Amino acid sequence: MASAATDPINDSENIKEISKMANEYGSEFVNKFYSSLDNKRHELGKYYADDAKIIWNGNEIDIQNRQNFQVELPDCTHSIECFDVHPIFSEFNQTGHYMILVSVSGSVRYKGHELKLFYQNFMLKAIETKWKIASDCYRFAE
């Protein structure tokens, strides 16, 4: 077992660098994902891993039906109030992939509906050179 002095997970400089990179990737992801969700839904598939798990207001959406579900939603505009990004360090992550947790909150207006508050959590995993959504949980704050 490595000592705290040599264990990279306990190296504060390493943790800072990993956290900084996660924040950069997470920020870029949030900007691109919600722009696509609001304006180019046909492009959303490129963000999801083949085995992604999707929960929409407590209902699981089968990955094969994801695109139809998202494309058929009424036109919408999301306003992101805040988001938070955390790297998932290897001692908590047994997948063999680098992973990032992204938590988002804000408001959304669907055409023909009132403004609603929402929360969305993503687990992103690095697959080759791309970040892909492994888990997506969207919930209205009702």
Side-chain angles (χ1 to χ4, degrees), residues 18-136:
I18 291 170
S19 295
K20 180 182 174 191
M21 287 176 21
N23 278 316
E24 289 171 4
Y25 293 133
S27 179
E28 181 180 343
F29 167 78
V30 167
N31 291 330
K32 288 182 177 181
F33 181 84
Y34 287 99
S35 176
S36 293
L37 182 58
D38 290 349
N39 302 302
K40 301 176 185 176
R41 289 196 193 151
H42 63 281
E43 293 182 359
L44 288 173
K46 69 183 179 184
Y47 295 103
Y48 287 89
D50 293 340
D51 59 347
K53 185 75 130 178
I54 303 166
I55 306 295
W56 180 271
N57 286 308
N59 300 297
E60 185 172 356
I61 306 301
D62 184 70
I63 190 66
Q64 279 72 34
N65 295 327
R66 181 215 42 86
Q67 183 169 355
N68 287 340
F69 174 78
Q70 289 173 322
V71 168
E72 291 174 3
L73 289 170
D75 290 343
C76 64
T77 303
H78 285 82
S79 177
I80 305 307
E81 187 69 29
C82 65
F83 66 92
D84 199 12
V85 180
H86 297 277
I88 306 300
F89 292 104
S90 59
E91 65 184 301
F92 306 109
N93 173 6
Q94 304 301 313
T95 68
H97 297 276
Y98 289 109
M99 297 188 81
I100 299 172
L101 172 65
V102 180
S103 299
V104 182
S105 64
S107 60
V108 60
R109 182 176 307 277
Y110 287 94
K111 185 176 182 179
H113 297 275
E114 292 181 16
L115 186 73
K116 292 187 176 202
L117 300 178
F118 78 94
Y119 300 98
Q120 191 163 17
N121 292 299
F122 300 96
M123 186 66 70
L124 305 180
K125 67 179 176 181
I127 301 176
E128 298 174 6
T129 61
K130 303 280 185 191
W131 287 100
K132 298 284 187 171
I133 299 169
S135 175
D136 174 356

